Amino acid sequence: MKLGNLEKYNYIVIQMHDNPDADAVGAGYSMYQYFKSKRKIVRLVYGGRTKITKSNMRMLIKELGIPVEYIKDADELRLPEYDKPELLLTVDCQYGEGNVWHIDAENVAMIDHHATGRVSDDMAEIRSYIVSCSAVCYDMLRAEGYDVNANIDVATVLYYGTFMDSNEFSEIRNPLERDMIDCLHVDKKLINRITHANFTMQELETAAIAMLRFSYDENKRLSIVKSKPCDPNILGLVGDMVLQVDSVDVCIIFSECDGGYKLSIRSCEAEVAANELAAYLTADIGNGGGHTDKAGGFINQKKYEEKYEDILIDSYIFKRVEQYYDSFEVVYAKDGISDLSEYALYKKKPYIYGYVRTTDLFEAGTECRIRTYEGDVFVTADEDTYLMIGFFGEVYPIQKEAFEKKYTPLDEAFNKAFDYEPSVRSLKHDRNFGILEYAKQCRSMGSEVYARLLDKPTKVFSRWDYDTYMYGDEGDYICCSCMDLNDIYIVKKEVFEEIYEQK
Ligand SMILES: [Mn+2]
């Protein structure tokens, strides 16, 4: 979506989610100023059950004079010339979601960073890989040539919104987010004051009480904490603290909140990715995600009751966590496969594939990240490391020795077209490089693998340096090279069925 395309509307209402947080205000106020600069009739509103009460939010709004309106009745949006808004733009949330008070409008657009399954189109900009909606807005404003630094208040709210949504910048991953922080000229004094007005005395007490009432599972090295209703940031704070305990590797904190329950998850256990656990706990009844070490989620009360009726939330969390630990298998490549009886022998079809020497791409020693179907993997460019380009354009690393046993290199360039051009990210250059132009052809010699259809999700800790693990779903295949029983990996169903045949 382009902001420029929304300029055809004259009466624009920007709506933040109910009980707006700093990110919603950051996104909302930057959009407000943008459309004001285009001489539109603009209003910045939110609805829902409660008016903003948090001390930091009130301070931010008051100090910057942000014209936020709390709407209780749709009539308040009626203007003499307009029955309803010509354009409703929801920020940091999506129209129709449980935490967005319903407003009628001629047209609806949204800017958000929450994963709900919706994708971007002409009227929606959804970037779930970005830590804050403020950062998404920053990028969209920049694309329109709008100078965010021309108004220090706008720069300050964008900065503060991202600061609050990223656990004080600790969850920043994307170069866009980093660039934004460097580039914004903000009111440091104000930010400093607001960031030290996060909790009230009462909230400090809530956090302390929550920490006293934890439950602990010795086998899983897991702690579950239920807190009294409080700000999500307090849940994160408690989680960070509990994870510091020497016998705790995973921590789940939850509390009631407006319209449901809020979860915060922390993990330093390689087998348990916090974002995956958050998604599992909220599946079908809310949303959850984040990073492997820190994640959060929301359970929608209505959906929860429809699905689980009168089960208490505490029992649900405990049971679901149990299920999660039972829901996947873990395979360590270094341990090999002790029992091959459930595996069958397959042969790789003699297709032509692409390959690239990492040293043709980068100077030896350059660290790079490859985004594979099964997770991110990090490799260092050297003489012994090649990259394969598979049937569907998927990229994965292979050792030179294994390559030579499995493929015959051909001297011709590999120029197959793919929907999404395979690329590799150099950590040093902090950007992606297309690899097709360096790729050459090779023919599979028909190497053999033992493979088994997965009947439950499986995590493989392969010999490669995956960010977490290779993740295989039910229906995918786990494979093991006949030449090397420690070379274990996952192959996605579609890929496997295309390129292997049973012997
Ligand atoms: Mn947000």
Side-chain angles (χ1 to χ4, degrees), residues 21 23 92 113-114 131-133 165:
D21 59 5
D23 186 36
D92 199 30
H113 70 122
H114 295 93
V131 77
S132 68
C133 188
D165 254 29

Side-chain angles (χ1 to χ4, degrees), residues 227-433:
S227 166
K228 284 202 295 184
C230 65
D231 186 77
N233 282 300
I234 304 229
L235 295 183
L237 181 90
V238 173
D240 287 337
M241 189 103 154
V242 174
L243 203 67
Q244 299 294 320
V245 177
D246 59 358
S247 54
V248 175
D249 294 336
V250 181
C251 175
I252 301 169
I253 318 108
F254 69 101
S255 77
E256 266 174 52
C257 68
D258 210 22
Y261 306 93
K262 185 85 196 137
L263 304 171
S264 185
I265 293 168
R266 298 289 184 267
S267 170
C268 60
E269 158 68 85
E271 290 176 13
V272 178
N275 48 359
E276 192 184 275
L277 179 54
Y280 192 86
L281 290 171
T282 57
D284 303 329
I285 50 172
N287 52 66
H291 300 281
T292 52
D293 53 346
K294 293 174 178 211
F298 171 74
I299 291 176
N300 179 303
Q301 177 88 42
K302 232 178 91 200
K303 288 185 186 163
Y304 177 80
E305 280 165 7
E306 274 166 25
K307 195 159 172 156
Y308 297 102
E309 287 175 1
D310 42 12
I311 301 176
L312 283 177
I313 186 76
D314 307 51
S315 337
Y316 166 78
I317 301 263
F318 279 86
K319 246 177 74 187
R320 190 82 180 145
V321 165
E322 240 3 275
Q323 279 174 4
Y324 171 78
Y325 278 82
D326 288 338
S327 71
F328 59 86
E329 254 178 80
V330 178
V331 175
Y332 286 91
K334 62 174 168 43
D335 299 340
I337 289 172
S338 49
D339 178 14
L340 278 170
S341 63
E342 284 176 32
Y343 286 72
L345 197 57
Y346 289 83
K347 190 176 160 160
K348 202 164 186 174
K349 294 182 192 168
Y351 285 144
I352 300 285
Y353 297 95
Y355 80 100
V356 184
R357 294 188 190 89
T358 49
T359 44
D360 285 351
L361 278 173
F362 303 116
E363 214 178 294
T366 308
E367 286 182 289
C368 42
R369 186 193 71 196
I370 305 162
R371 183 145 285 170
T372 74
Y373 282 14
E374 296 82 16
D376 284 354
V377 58
F378 293 89
V379 298
T380 304
D382 64 31
E383 294 289 335
D384 288 328
T385 307
Y386 290 5
L387 302 178
M388 289 296 301
I389 303 170
F391 193 82
F392 293 97
E394 73 277 13
V395 182
Y396 55 94
I398 185 168
Q399 277 159 338
K400 183 182 175 202
E401 201 192 326
F403 174 83
E404 286 169 350
K405 284 186 196 156
K406 294 180 181 175
Y407 302 95
T408 314
L410 308 170
D411 226 12
E412 280 141 85
F414 178 75
N415 37 27
K416 195 170 161 182
F418 297 106
D419 287 349
Y420 189 73
E421 201 205 316
S423 68
V424 169
R425 184 167 201 90
S426 153
L427 301 186
K428 186 170 108 191
H429 304 91
D430 208 13
R431 73 178 187 88
N432 286 357
F433 292 84

